[in-house]
Amino acid sequence: MTGWSQALSGANGQMTAAPSEAAPDTPTFIGNRGLQLEEKLLFEQDSPGHCGVDLPAPPPHRSRLGGLERQTPIGLPGLSEPQVVRHFTRLSQKNYAIDSGLYPLGSCTMKHNPRLNEKVARLPGFADLHPLQPVSTIQGALELIETLAHWLRTLTGMPAVALSPAAGAHGELCGMMTIRAALTAQGDPRRRILVPESAHGTNPATAAACGYEIDPIPNDPRGRVDLTALKAKLGPAVAALMLTNPNTCGLFENEILEIAASVHEAGAFFYADGANFNAIVGRVRPADLGIDALHLNLHKTFSTPHGGGGPGSGPVALAASLAPHAPLPWIVHGEGGRRLIEHTEGSATQTIGRLKGFHGQMGMFVRALSYMMSHGADGLRQVAEDAVLNANYLRVRLAGALSQSFPGACMHEVLFDDRFLKDTGVATLDFAKALIDEGFHPMTMYFPLVVHGALLIEPTETESKASLDQFADTVNALAARAKTDPASFHAAPRLTPRRRLDETGAARKPLLRWRPEPVRQEAAE
Ligand SMILES: Cc1ncc(COP(=O)(O)O)c(C=O)c1O
């Protein structure tokens, strides 16, 4: 057993706890290094009595709380305005971002967010909209939403698009719920979803959240779905196949037409995870591949910023058979212009209902449409081609030093595993930490789970040849050093404000808020 099913059963064992190390000795008096200042928590900077604003004492007033007023100070740190400004500015400077440099996280697609999108999203006519405004005053916003849906329908070839889901995983939920609604309406609810081992963890999690049993499909030696295994598992209990294409190994599922035909023959739906649409936008229309439902991550393909669980946007494109179940609200045209269907009524009697307040993430819609219109259809195709070209350039430049997991050309991301580190005592994690010392954000590590010690690299289309070369030179040099000086990797990163952390401890026993010292000790125990 490999892949996410193994991880879910707790047998993965690839991610080991990193040793905690004390901060290195520093030659400076107070811990600052260069102009990188050591930052204390706001509570640790507390100077009682300090305040950023001078407010006059409140006039005497009669209590209306029946003696329930707080009798003790609220316990906030006393800070002046400059202290607060410096604190947050210094924290922001410690943040690494796509605006700082190359961000080669595979699967996460950290692509440049064009400033034009930001400018358009900040136009007061969009930014100052209130979701409860009368529909007659938001006709322009509704037109924008419809125009975006039109672009997405055109690019996917699918007849309907639901825009409200707030993230890729939310889009998966929407798609699965429409499939469940369609099967239930047919009187054939079915209970099982087939999910390839290489899938993003959100796929099986979403299907399980919808009440389905999950049945994993192995990969074949080429890193694609094992068609024979898939066909063997198809049957009357299968509600849908959830397939990512291009898949999380960065490969196009080139048997997809046969896969679609087999799924349909078994009376099941074909759900596609379209989070990697940035590799094929403008080149392939998912509808032509036989897909019935597919979510798109606007934050991956159409350059809206990542939202850390939201506010992202994960629209779902639906085939005609699923469209009647699309979530509310629906925009329809009437005599007074556009209006909204917000309840199960009229043509929307089979909808799955609301998934999200109002229309979804309006700011993301504006950014995504701005990106699409500024590129045009041919420009979007060029984006996909350049993303694939850049990934393949890195693939070739790193091929001599790293071990590529599956032979041949890749799509928008390239997958390596840790065979190149065999017998060095250096693990994928050590390698990634050493990259930080060289000034590069690491690639995605240990995902997908179908290969051992994965390193998944996605450069995106906006990196220049010079920046790709600098990255490739560094990775190649580190790979050579792993053979001659493995010990240096175990201490990495050495140049960061904090050394290697106990990542398992941080995930399992997180300390998420400041507490006075004695309480903190107790929480850690
Ligand atoms: C292939 C794939 N599917 C699903 C998701 C989930 O998307 P989100 O993080 O927006 O929920 C991602 C996220 O990057 C992904 O790469």
Side-chain angles (χ1 to χ4, degrees):
M1 183 169 58
T2 54
W4 53 261
S5 57
Q6 184 187 38
L8 289 179
S9 68
N12 167 22
Q14 283 176 319
M15 188 71 179
T16 52
S20 224
E21 280 190 47
D25 287 343
T26 165
T28 65
F29 294 115
I30 53 173
N32 297 335
R33 291 159 70 87
L35 293 178
Q36 283 289 321
L37 306 192
E38 182 61 18
E39 192 60 31
K40 289 182 175 171
L41 299 176
L42 283 179
F43 285 94
E44 294 164 343
Q45 296 182 36
D46 178 20
S47 10
H50 274 205
C51 188
V53 282
D54 279 332
L55 294 175
H61 61 282
R62 194 166 55 83
S63 165
R64 284 180 289 170
L65 294 176
L68 290 175
E69 295 94 340
R70 174 186 288 279
Q71 302 299 323
T72 51
I74 194 166
L76 293 177
L79 299 158
S80 65
E81 183 176 308
Q83 273 181 299
V84 175
V85 170
R86 284 182 176 169
H87 176 72
F88 287 108
T89 304
R90 292 197 291 243
L91 283 188
S92 74
Q93 287 165 346
K94 291 190 200 307
N95 221 2
Y96 190 81
I98 185 67
D99 291 345
S100 318
L102 177 72
Y103 213 132
L105 276 184
S107 197
C108 295
T109 319
M110 291 293 174
K111 73 195 257 172
H112 173 62
N113 311 133
R115 291 307 178 268
L116 175 67
N117 304 352
E118 298 303 317
K119 193 172 176 186
V120 178
R122 281 169 178 70
L123 290 175
F126 295 126
D128 296 346
L129 281 175
H130 192 283
L132 292 175
Q133 266 177 242
V135 174
S136 61
T137 66
I138 56 164
Q139 292 290 312
L142 296 181
E143 183 179 344
L144 181 137
I145 291 174
E146 280 194 315
T147 311
L148 176 63
H150 169 77
W151 275 76
L152 293 175
R153 283 197 303 268
T154 307
L155 291 168
T156 58
M158 318 271 285
V161 169
L163 281 168
S164 62
H170 202 199
E172 291 167 26
L173 182 71
C174 174
M176 280 294 113
M177 287 174 74
T178 58
I179 288 174
R180 193 177 58 186
L183 287 169
T184 308
Q186 289 168 20
D188 180 21
R190 303 187 171 214
R191 60 173 198 282
R192 194 170 299 150
I193 304 286
L194 305 182
V195 187
E197 289 282 2
S198 60
H200 197 260
T202 50
N203 288 193
T206 303
C210 272
Y212 285 112
E213 281 170 23
I214 318 300
D215 200 353
I217 310 287
N219 269 21
D220 67 13
R222 304 170 312 128
R224 274 94 172 174
V225 163
D226 183 329
L227 191 55
T228 314
L230 169 69
K231 285 184 177 173
K233 293 203 174 191
L234 281 168
V238 174
L241 165 72
M242 278 183 110
L243 180 78
T244 308
N245 191 34
N247 67 23
T248 58
C249 302
L251 302 170
F252 192 84
E253 293 284 353
N254 48 10
E255 290 175 319
I256 194 162
L257 292 177
E258 199 173 340
I259 291 174
S262 311
V263 169
H264 290 146
E265 210 171 295
F269 282 98
F270 184 8
Y271 183 92
D273 179 328
N276 296 335
F277 194 51
N278 57 319
I280 55 172
V281 57
R283 290 184 62 90
V284 183
R285 297 189 317 161
D288 299 335
L289 303 176
I291 290 162
D292 300 308
L294 140 130
H295 77 265
L296 301 166
N297 286 15
L298 295 190
H299 43 289
K300 288 179 63 172
T301 301
F302 299 110
S303 85
T304 69
H306 276 244
S313 190
V316 181
L318 297 168
S321 52
L322 296 173
H325 307 288
L328 299 171
W330 292 9
I331 301 175
V332 289
H333 290 249
E335 272 183 17
R338 293 174 183 82
R339 66 175 187 88
L340 298 173
I341 297 187
E342 301 199 72
H343 303 282
T344 311
E345 56 168 283
S347 52
T349 47
Q350 296 192 65
T351 168
I352 57 169
R354 242 179 213 286
L355 280 179
K356 173 92 182 72
F358 308 107
H359 302 276
Q361 307 291 10
M362 184 66 194
M364 297 305 164
F365 301 161
V366 180
R367 288 174 174 88
L369 186 62
S370 157
Y371 183 74
M372 291 175 184
M373 295 183 92
S374 57
H375 280 78
D378 52 344
L380 290 174
R381 182 189 170 102
Q382 185 73 50
V383 162
E385 288 171 353
D386 290 351
V388 174
L389 182 66
N390 274 2
N392 277 289
Y393 182 70
L394 280 184
R395 179 180 66 79
V396 172
R397 285 249 21 222
L398 299 176
L402 269 52
S403 33
Q404 194 185 339
S405 300
F406 300 105
C410 61
M411 297 296 289
H412 59 299
E413 56 195 355
V414 53
L415 178 62
F416 299 97
D417 52 48
D418 61 3
R419 281 172 297 152
F420 75 103
L421 294 170
K422 191 165 180 292
D423 299 331
T424 60
V426 175
T428 294
L429 183 76
D430 303 320
F431 196 81
K433 297 291 180 197
L435 208 48
I436 296 176
D437 275 338
E438 300 295 331
F440 287 102
H441 192 285
M443 59 288 276
T444 291
M445 298 174 292
Y446 300 110
F447 177 80
L449 301 170
V450 286
V451 300
H452 198 271
L455 299 101
L456 184 62
I457 303 177
E458 179 171 4
T460 79
E461 69 281 0
T462 47
E463 290 304 326
S464 65
K465 180 171 178 297
S467 108
L468 296 180
D469 279 334
Q470 201 187 35
F471 177 71
D473 290 345
T474 309
V475 173
N476 285 333
L478 284 175
R481 195 205 283 163
K483 297 195 167 59
T484 56
D485 181 14
S488 64
F489 286 78
H490 301 138
R494 281 174 293 200
L495 304 175
T496 45
R498 289 289 177 277
R499 304 293 298 276
R500 202 180 292 201
L501 304 173
D502 173 359
E503 292 176 7
T504 307
R508 301 272 154 80
K509 283 190 165 186
L511 296 182
L512 298 177
R513 74 182 176 90
W514 180 85
R515 291 188 167 96
E517 194 54 40
V519 186
R520 204 168 345 150
Q521 290 282 351
E522 270 169 38
E525 281 160 14

